[in-house]
Structure formats: structure tokens, C-alpha cells
Amino acid sequence: MTRVIQSSSSLDGKTIVLGITGSIAAVRCVELARELMRHGASVHAVMTKEAQKIIHPEAMRYATGNPVITEITGGVEHVEFCGMGGKAHLLLVAPCTANTIGKIAHGIDDTPVTTFATTAFGSDIPIMIVPAMHESMYNHPIVIENTGKLTELGVEFVNPAVEEGAAKIAGKEEILLRAERTLGGKKLAGKRILITGGATAEAIDPIRLLTNRASGKTGIELAFEAFRRGADVTLVHRGCIGIQGICESTIESAKDMAKIVLEELSKGYDILISAAAISDFTVTPATEKIKSGKVVTLTLRPAPKLIRQARQKYPQLKIIGFKAETNVTEDELIERARESMKASALSMVVANDISKGGMGAEENDVYIIDSNVKHISGTKRYIAAEIMNKIEVIL
């Protein structure tokens, strides 16, 4: 096994049994195992005979650093990992064929993977299934029925991407995120969190836009972190992350952002995290493309202020604001953040000086301001986790 450089500690101390069945998507399991390990998990592979025809057990032994289970022996491996008090925290069957879904649904355990599943059911160990098969098989009414039956029994499914006639295995990043949520303690379970992220854009004409440098990474990392902790998450932004379980609304302008957010808030949320870099100005767009090669004068007018509108309409709502400034001292930055906090009755403000970096970058340097001030630097994932730690206390 080559050395794994750990990306986070989200799965530290967790043992994941990776059940591999006879789908061509089994070739993705080396990288899936490594991705889980990069976040602290210990991974043990269990393979059916059909899976071994597609990827050699030695490849998985190399990937995980652990012996691969290809048959149930006198060592009763299924009990060691998935029995009462067993080592496993999660049985992850990826990829999972239609055949294996059917067997697990009917308690048939004639392969190492299905024997592990039967044992995990009896020990209340979480089971996560990641299907991969031809589209026609995935659409079979009995496969759909078996999937529904297992869902009712508490099995979690990470649905495939259906394209090119195939129900393709979900990406390793999505599988990782779902595993983190399952194993993460769910401290925000039952909480509804609305997050805005990224830049908005104001149309100048049918082709051109006025926007800013915000990448939306902070909003996405906040959505991921809230999801990991069990919250029901809605993300409003210009992009699309396409993660099952995270609701998304795609917008373009500041007006769109305000309209969608205010409509969403009417459905009942515990907190609004306003991390988007919403345009301060808008223009009246031309109906046709403005001809190039000449000087154009644009008249800017103030765009709607989302936080102000949200506070007026929902006076009891908890709101987290973000404050970006340029070329100010630390004291000035904190003072301006406190002014915003007071003006809109915010629970917390995250402030930074973007002239020193952060906008569009992977890392940032911010001040988290509530009754105290906390200065943190690091990746946006790390900063999102620190913000969520504060939000856990607020909620």
C-alpha cells in the first residue's frame, strides 16, 4: 500500500467494509477506497467471485493495506466485522448489482457480500448501497421494488447517474459525503439550513454580464458541512453541485436571489447563512446586443439587500452574515462587521479583507464574530467546519 495523505479527519476511527460485486464499475473501487482512507477511514474489502473477474483482490489489498475477504472461512469474517460488537461502522456495497440488491432484499446470503449484509442487518450496522448496472436493469420493476423494500428497512441508497444507457456508479466524492453524513453523529439532524453562495450576475444585454470574483466555494463547503452533520440543506447559487440530499436553486441576479430566498424562508428554516457575494448594483439591460467598438455608459442603481429584506419579513429568523472589505486594519474590519451585525440583528458575521486573498481561492483568512472574535486561516472546508461548530451552539 502506498502512503495516503490525509485530507480531513471526518472518518477518523471509522471502519468501513467495502463490499464489491460483479459490475464493471468495480474498477473504480481502488480510488473509492483511497478516498475514504484520505479522510481517516480504515477500509476492508469483501469481494464476490464475479467481482474478482473484473478487479483482482491484490489490487484491493494494495489499495486498502488490509487482507481482502473473498470467502467466508472458519474465521467467521462476517461476524468479526458485522456481528454484534463487530469492528465495522458501515457496510458500503459499491458497486452493487441488481442481482445483489435482490439477494439482500430477500435475505439470501450465498456470496461473501450478501453474508456480510445479512449479518449487518441483524447487528443494526448501517448499510449503504451504491447501484451500478445497465439502465434497463435499473428500471426493472422488481429491482425498483427491491430497492424500495430495502429503503423501508433503513438501507441508504446513493443513486446512480443514468446516462448512455447505463446507471453509472455515483462519484467517489458523493459516496464519501454520504458516508460522512451517516457516520458523523448528525448533530444538526432535524435542522433546516438555507445557504446562499457565490456571485450573482446582472445582465447588461442578452450576452454580457456584470459580476464579481466570488467562486462560490465557501457556500458549497458550508452546504457540505451542514449536510455531513445531518441538517436538511438548501443551497441557492448560480452553480450546480448535483449532490443527492442537498436541495439547490439556481439563480442569476440579485433580484432572483432575493425572490428565491424569501420564498424558501416561507417554508420554515432554522437559520439563513448569507454567504453569497450579492451584487450591490444592477442595470437595466439592453434588449439587443450592445454593439462593440464604442464607449458605453451604464447607469448603476442599488440592488435589493437580501439580509435587510429577510430581517424585515422574518424578524425572529437567525441569520449569519458575511462581510468583505478591502485594505482595512483588523480593528476596522471587526468594527464594520459589528455594525452590520447590529444593524440587521445578525447572530454572527464572518468577515475578511479580500485584498489579502480568499476570493476565488481554495483557502481564506477570516474573523468569526459573535459575542467574541475568532481569527482562523485555512482551507474553506476547515473554515466551514469552524462556522458550523458555532452554528451548532446557536441552534
Side-chain angles (χ1 to χ4, degrees):
M1 181 185 73
T2 56
R3 188 168 73 94
V4 174
I5 298 175
Q6 196 159 332
S7 300
S8 81
S9 59
S10 61
L11 295 175
D12 273 2
K14 303 300 183 183
T15 296
I16 296 176
V17 173
L18 177 58
I20 307 172
T21 70
S23 162
I24 190 61
V27 299
R28 305 270 292 277
C29 285
V30 168
E31 190 49 48
L32 173 58
R34 304 290 284 185
E35 186 69 12
L36 295 168
M37 293 162 65
R38 289 184 188 106
H39 296 269
S42 174
V43 179
H44 295 259
V46 180
M47 302 180 69
T48 66
K49 288 182 179 179
E50 297 305 314
Q52 295 170 55
K53 295 177 183 178
I54 296 169
I55 182 169
H56 200 282
E58 285 300 303
M60 293 311 303
R61 184 167 78 91
Y62 172 83
T64 64
N66 292 311
V68 177
I69 299 166
T70 57
E71 60 179 347
I72 304 300
T73 71
V76 288
E77 295 84 356
H78 56 304
V79 177
E80 176 188 359
F81 284 95
C82 290
M84 296 291 186
K87 295 178 181 178
H89 297 93
L90 173 67
L91 173 61
L92 172 62
V93 186
C96 190
T97 60
N99 185 41
T100 299
I101 289 173
K103 288 179 177 180
I104 295 174
H106 290 85
I108 299 169
D109 56 356
D110 60 352
T111 72
V113 171
T114 53
T115 299
F116 266 73
T118 298
T119 311
F121 265 119
S123 304
D124 204 26
I125 290 172
I127 301 172
M128 185 176 294
I129 288 177
V130 189
M133 61 196 74
H134 288 289
E135 182 179 2
S136 54
M137 299 174 72
Y138 188 63
N139 291 333
H140 191 298
I142 301 300
V143 174
I144 294 171
E145 180 182 313
N146 289 334
T147 299
K149 180 179 180 180
L150 289 173
T151 300
E152 289 177 2
L153 290 171
V155 174
E156 185 172 357
F157 280 79
V158 183
N159 295 330
V162 180
E163 57 188 22
E164 298 179 326
K168 297 182 179 180
I169 189 171
K172 64 181 187 295
E173 296 84 3
E174 180 159 9
I175 298 170
L176 166 68
L177 186 64
R178 297 286 289 277
E180 289 172 325
R181 180 178 171 91
T182 296
L183 299 175
K186 298 190 176 180
K187 293 182 179 179
L188 290 174
K191 302 300 182 182
R192 302 195 70 212
I193 298 179
L194 179 58
I195 301 169
T196 68
T200 58
E202 308 302 314
I204 298 172
D205 63 20
I207 297 174
R208 302 179 182 92
L209 299 168
L210 283 177
T211 188
N212 59 60
R213 300 181 189 277
S215 66
K217 293 173 185 174
T218 297
I220 290 171
E221 291 296 349
L222 285 165
F224 287 167
E225 191 60 32
F227 183 76
R228 288 184 188 101
R229 300 184 190 210
D232 296 325
V233 182
T234 298
L235 176 61
V236 183
H237 63 157
R238 286 185 70 205
C240 178
I241 53 175
I243 296 293
Q244 299 164 46
I246 296 179
C247 297
E248 290 184 271
S249 290
T250 301
I251 55 85
E252 182 168 276
S253 68
K255 183 179 179 181
D256 295 337
M257 175 75 80
K259 179 176 182 292
I260 292 296
V261 168
L262 293 173
E263 287 177 356
E264 276 294 321
L265 289 174
S266 70
K267 301 173 185 177
Y269 282 84
D270 294 285
I271 195 166
L272 166 64
I273 306 175
S274 184
I278 301 173
S279 302
D280 290 312
F281 301 98
T282 186
V283 298
T284 301
T287 56
E288 297 180 354
K289 178 188 173 184
I290 299 170
K291 295 185 182 298
S292 59
K294 65 177 183 178
V295 175
V296 177
T297 299
L298 299 176
T299 300
L300 304 181
R301 65 178 188 278
K305 292 292 186 181
L306 172 60
I307 287 180
R308 188 178 301 160
Q309 291 178 295
R311 174 54 69 224
Q312 288 174 349
K313 194 166 184 180
Y314 303 98
Q316 302 305 314
L317 178 68
K318 292 180 173 66
I319 303 176
I320 307 297
F322 279 65
K323 185 70 172 173
E325 296 288 354
T326 57
N327 298 309
V328 294
T329 66
E330 177 182 323
D331 289 343
E332 286 175 319
L333 179 64
I334 293 169
E335 180 58 30
R336 292 183 190 185
R338 287 204 183 282
E339 289 172 0
S340 295
M341 192 168 157
K342 183 178 180 181
S344 297
L346 305 180
S347 299
M348 187 168 75
V349 175
V350 181
N352 69 318
D353 184 340
I354 61 173
S355 62
K356 299 174 182 177
M359 185 167 275
E362 294 296 329
E363 298 190 350
N364 208 348
D365 182 278
V366 306
Y367 294 82
I368 301 177
I369 302 156
D370 46 20
S371 57
N372 301 302
V373 177
K374 185 172 184 178
H375 181 208
I376 57 173
S377 299
T379 65
K380 290 182 176 178
R381 172 169 178 164
Y382 168 70
I383 291 170
E386 289 292 309
I387 293 170
M388 284 299 156
N389 288 341
K390 292 273 192 178
I391 288 172
E392 282 183 8
V393 176
I394 293 171
L395 296 181

